[in-house]
Amino acid sequence: MTEHPTSFDRPSTGADPTDPRGALLPAPVPPRASGSALPAQGRTGETPPTAGEDAPGVFEHSQPGAEQAAEPDTHRPRPGAEGVPVQPDGGQPDGGQAGGGQPGGVPAGAAPRVAPSDGSALDGVPGGGQAAGVRPGSEVPAGATDRRDAPAEPDRRTGQPTAPGQPTPMRRDGDRLRFVGAATRRIARGMDLDEIVMGLCRATVPTFADAILVYLREPLPVGDERPTGPLVLRLRRTDRIPAERDTEGGFAPAAQPEPSELETVGAELCEVRPGSALAEVLRGVRPVFTDTPAARAALPELLGEERDFALPDGRRAILAPLRGRRRVIGAALFLRGPERIPFEADDLLVAAQLATHSALGIDKAVLYGREAYIADELQRTMLPENLPRCTGVRLASRYLPAAETARVGGDWYDAIPLPGSRVALVVGDVMGHSMTSAAIMGQLRTTAQTLAGLDLPPQEVLHHLDEQAQRLGTDRMATCLYAVYDPVSHRITVANAGHPPPVLLHLGGEAEVLRVPAGAPIGVGGVDFEAVELDAPAGATLLLYTDGLVESRLRDVWTGIEQLRERLAATAQLTGPDHPPPLEALCDEVLDMLGPGDRDDDIALLAARFDGIAPSDVSYWFLDPEDAAPGKARRLARRALARWGMEDLTDAVELLVSEVVTNAVRYASKPVTLRLLRTDVLRCEVGDDVPQLPRLRQARATDEGGRGLYLVNRLARRWGATRLSTGKVVWFELNRG
């Protein structure tokens, strides 16, 4: 966007070339009805006045005449970058001198840039305190007016002449608008609360104020929620001009505030009492000068009544309430030192703009923080908090969101213990990255857990998941891989629904991509799923993952799968052929294969190390449903414990086995199964064909039965009952001696 200035600049008058503040002096211009503004700023594209001719009659857009000695600059240069420091001698940051067409300076004959009186350089262009082409100590060209000897012009506010070398008021409305635009852009760049508050402080100090104190409500209200309790303000951040400025490095010396005034730090917490002066000022919403009676009475309450504080006299402090979309959320205090020009009436409008944009930005940051918190909590609750400890298998997992801006997605993993010491391993991916995808993922995961509890075959589980996805909507599609590992038989049964195939890392270091029928994604409908049964040798590691690990914009899915296989094989070589790599380290190594451009999707990773259960640690029997079955079960259990050298558990095991088998044969019509497994614990499983699960209850004194499960609950380490498609299994565990 091209700027079209409507005013003109004149060389600075009344500036002493030896005064170090000469670079800070703005050029006086005729008074305007609109009032004062921020410091004046010259433009490098203006037409300079000719020698001996005053500039007021020449406007920026007028064409130079033939009588002009200087050749016009027909190309308007771009404004410099923001933040270029003002030089004490009016030079450029690279050491070049202004005027005379020297490198780094203002072109010959061009009107000089004028810096603000507060020491800042608007639009990043250094200002000069003297006419272009006239160096300190040099003679004035013939026919030209020596501006240094010009009489001082009166201050338009007081009518008194301004002494040479003293700052003049900020006058130009255009400069004020440019400052407000730059400040609001800087504030709007912040995403979180701290960035917005810091943007307000950095944009304000030192351009608009010498110091600032920002108070925010504690706690900050979110959205439409109505805060409860008293209004408490907390000092969030303070900022001020440093006590010393580096003059040797190119920074112009600025008028420093009195330490006793601007170094004042208010109280950390301030409770706004209803009906107090501070409450009235905050309720008024608009910024006020602190020399007003209401603001003067409110400051002790804000800064702390027990503290000794001193504020500059006159209009050198502005108290601006910060109002969000619904209510006041804080306050900002702008301060200027005694050696700086006081605030003017138009500066209240600047403070109001800064306060409004900051408050709205804080509101957005709080809402964004709440959304991020909800997303994190949703994703955390959708995924397993801790993986279960299953017999014969060790588990590890990882989850990575696609990006900070998309913290929730449809990827999930799960490990579900099944009867018979088996475990179901599940990994899935719902299309999309949104709250909707996460919600659908949660429903499918819950459905998979319910179906796994029924001990259905893997292909049947996928079939019911497909039906559930169709009930959720026509466009609810997902991929899923469901596997069941049996540590006793050392076998794994896998069914796939459009998911990338798993990778099996053998103990010797060979990585194999399992050949599993791909199947159709969940939600397509009308598709049969097929399951395959494969060997799962002890010491092998099965890796289940989502496509975000192997597919990106830089590679296709099969290239990524091959890279994953090679990475697993290389990692296994580091630990040798007889020792598999640790699971946690293996997961980290797998994620390290991701490059800078490989994070296009969520990543869910589930690793299972198959330890298995040796046949010598398993005892299995069938018992006919008759009255002699409990006694036979006690004798079989006693022999197995003697063979394993666990005679110290004989009494407890005989009692508990007798109670569980008695309950089973009372209602069963088919043979009852009894299995003992020796791992880190002793596990006993009793199965029958009755689907009703037993429930623990407190037997009355007159009851003859009902105390079997009570004994199991008191003596066993853990116990439970699981419904199967053919009946149920009741199990308990005892710690090994």
Side-chain angles (χ1 to χ4, degrees):
M1 181 176 63
T2 305
E3 296 181 358
H4 297 285
T6 57
S7 60
F8 56 87
D9 288 336
R10 297 172 56 191
S12 301
T13 62
D16 187 357
T18 62
D19 192 339
R21 291 177 299 178
L24 304 178
L25 301 181
V29 295
R32 298 178 58 182
S34 60
S36 62
L38 284 183
Q41 176 184 355
R43 300 174 177 82
T44 57
E46 294 177 357
T47 304
T50 57
E53 180 184 3
D54 286 335
V58 181
F59 292 93
E60 290 182 343
H61 295 285
S62 60
Q63 300 296 327
E67 68 278 9
Q68 291 178 310
E71 183 177 353
D73 184 5
T74 57
H75 299 282
R76 181 187 301 273
R78 294 180 178 271
E82 295 183 4
V84 179
V86 181
Q87 307 300 318
D89 59 350
Q92 302 299 320
D94 59 356
Q97 296 181 353
Q102 298 297 328
V106 181
R113 289 275 183 170
V114 181
S117 61
D118 59 358
S120 64
L122 293 179
D123 291 345
V125 182
Q130 55 197 9
V134 181
R135 301 181 181 179
S138 62
E139 296 183 358
V140 180
T145 304
D146 189 352
R147 311 306 295 178
R148 294 172 294 173
D149 298 334
E153 296 188 7
D155 190 331
R156 67 177 179 83
R157 299 173 302 146
T158 62
Q160 301 296 328
T162 303
Q166 294 297 325
T168 55
M170 297 182 295
R171 298 181 176 182
R172 300 183 58 181
D173 292 337
D175 291 332
R176 176 178 283 108
L177 293 177
R178 281 191 292 273
F179 164 73
V180 171
T184 53
R185 286 193 299 271
R186 185 165 192 170
I187 295 170
R189 283 197 295 263
M191 289 295 295
D192 57 21
L193 185 61
D194 292 332
E195 290 179 353
I196 293 173
V197 175
M198 181 182 294
L200 171 63
C201 295
R202 297 291 174 84
T204 303
V205 179
T207 307
F208 181 69
D210 293 333
I212 183 175
L213 284 76
V214 180
Y215 289 83
L216 294 181
R217 191 165 188 156
E218 181 74 17
L220 281 168
V222 181
D224 296 333
E225 70 178 23
R226 300 181 63 86
T228 59
L231 172 59
V232 178
L233 300 180
R234 177 182 291 274
L235 182 60
R236 185 77 183 193
R237 185 179 176 87
T238 62
D239 203 353
R240 63 181 298 275
I241 297 178
E244 296 181 358
R245 299 287 291 273
D246 182 11
T247 57
E248 296 181 358
F251 287 89
Q256 296 300 323
E258 291 293 336
S260 61
E261 297 174 348
L262 295 186
E263 288 183 357
T264 299
V265 177
E268 184 72 16
L269 288 177
C270 164
E271 181 176 346
V272 182
R273 297 183 299 271
S276 63
L278 180 57
E280 294 299 325
V281 172
L282 296 179
R283 186 180 304 167
V285 176
R286 295 184 178 182
V288 295
F289 291 116
T290 56
D291 60 349
T292 60
R296 179 65 65 175
L299 286 181
E301 184 179 355
L302 180 65
L303 301 179
E305 296 179 351
E306 70 281 358
R307 295 174 178 263
D308 294 332
F309 63 94
L311 290 177
D313 296 330
R315 294 186 171 183
R316 300 183 182 275
I318 295 178
L319 180 59
L322 302 178
R323 180 175 179 83
R325 292 176 175 82
R326 299 291 181 182
R327 57 191 59 86
V328 173
I329 59 175
L333 182 62
F334 304 94
L335 302 171
R336 281 188 181 179
E339 298 184 7
R340 187 169 177 177
I341 299 175
F343 288 114
E344 300 179 356
D346 288 344
D347 291 327
L348 292 177
L349 301 177
V350 176
Q353 288 291 325
L354 296 176
T356 299
H357 284 273
S358 301
L360 294 179
I362 291 171
D363 255 1
K364 291 189 297 183
V366 173
L367 288 173
Y368 175 78
R370 173 59 64 88
E371 292 292 333
Y373 171 78
I374 293 175
D376 290 340
E377 286 296 308
L378 178 62
Q379 191 68 64
R380 186 185 64 82
T381 54
M382 291 296 183
L383 297 175
E385 185 175 357
N386 295 304
L387 293 174
R389 298 187 61 181
C390 303
T391 303
V393 63
R394 286 173 286 172
L395 303 171
S397 63
R398 294 290 187 274
Y399 176 81
L400 294 178
E404 286 294 325
T405 55
R407 302 190 181 191
V408 292
D411 293 15
W412 91 91
Y413 61 89
D414 212 343
I416 309 168
L418 299 177
S421 300
R422 296 172 300 156
V423 58
L425 307 174
V426 190
V427 64
D429 184 4
V430 179
M431 296 177 56
H433 302 90
S434 63
M435 293 289 188
T436 303
S437 301
I440 297 173
M441 177 265 287
Q443 296 180 69
L444 293 180
R445 178 173 176 249
T446 302
T447 304
Q449 289 179 331
T450 304
L451 296 172
L454 298 176
D455 198 26
L456 297 178
Q459 64 273 20
E460 291 296 326
V461 172
L462 295 183
H463 175 72
H464 289 292
L465 284 177
D466 180 61
E467 292 180 343
Q468 176 66 13
Q470 294 180 64
R471 284 190 290 267
L472 294 177
T474 56
D475 57 344
R476 310 307 188 191
M477 299 183 63
T479 63
C480 182
L481 190 142
Y482 189 93
V484 176
Y485 170 65
D486 189 346
V488 177
S489 63
H490 297 272
R491 303 283 288 178
I492 184 171
T493 306
V494 186
N496 191 7
H499 205 78
V503 179
L504 184 65
L505 178 62
H506 294 272
L507 183 60
E510 178 187 358
E512 174 189 4
V513 180
L514 298 183
R515 296 183 178 180
V516 180
I522 291 173
V524 174
V527 179
D528 292 332
F529 299 97
E530 182 180 355
V532 294
E533 188 174 352
L534 305 171
D535 290 331
T541 304
L542 183 68
L543 199 70
L544 308 179
Y545 53 91
T546 56
D547 58 355
L549 179 65
V550 294
E551 185 180 18
S552 68
R553 294 188 299 266
L554 305 179
R555 61 186 179 188
D556 60 83
V557 60
W558 289 108
T559 301
I561 291 175
E562 180 62 22
Q563 292 179 2
L564 173 61
R565 189 193 64 81
E566 294 175 355
R567 188 62 174 262
L568 290 175
T571 304
Q573 296 297 329
L574 300 177
T575 57
D578 299 331
H579 301 281
L583 272 183
E584 298 293 338
L586 182 64
C587 292
D588 294 336
E589 286 292 331
V590 168
L591 294 181
D592 286 342
M593 66 177 285
L594 298 172
D598 294 343
R599 290 293 306 279
D600 300 333
D601 198 358
D602 302 354
I603 298 175
L605 179 65
L606 179 62
R609 174 72 43 78
F610 300 144
D611 294 332
I613 301 176
S616 59
D617 293 332
V618 180
S619 296
Y620 194 87
W621 305 279
F622 287 93
L623 303 174
D624 293 329
E626 56 187 11
D627 295 340
K632 185 178 180 180
R634 289 194 297 268
R635 291 192 300 271
L636 295 174
R638 187 185 313 116
R639 294 173 186 174
L641 293 178
R643 186 172 66 253
W644 292 336
M646 303 171 64
E647 291 85 353
D648 55 334
L649 297 179
T650 301
D651 294 339
V653 170
E654 285 186 359
L655 176 60
L656 298 182
V657 165
S658 178
E659 293 294 337
V660 175
V661 171
T662 299
N663 290 336
V665 300
R666 179 177 299 178
Y667 306 102
S669 59
K670 295 181 180 180
V672 175
T673 60
L674 172 63
R675 185 165 72 168
L676 294 178
L677 299 98
R678 182 184 63 169
T679 57
D680 54 341
V681 297
L682 179 66
R683 182 183 177 97
C684 176
E685 299 175 350
V686 178
D688 57 61
D689 60 342
V690 181
Q692 287 78 17
L693 299 180
R695 296 183 180 179
L696 180 64
R697 64 183 181 88
Q698 186 70 34
R700 294 175 295 182
T702 58
D703 292 341
E704 295 182 0
R707 296 176 179 85
L709 289 181
Y710 178 77
L711 293 175
V712 174
N713 185 62
R714 293 297 300 269
L715 297 179
R717 173 179 175 265
R718 291 194 313 159
W719 76 278
T722 305
R723 182 180 285 110
L724 305 177
S725 57
T726 58
K728 69 175 181 296
V729 169
V730 180
W731 58 270
F732 64 85
E733 293 178 352
L734 293 173
N735 291 323
R736 298 177 59 175

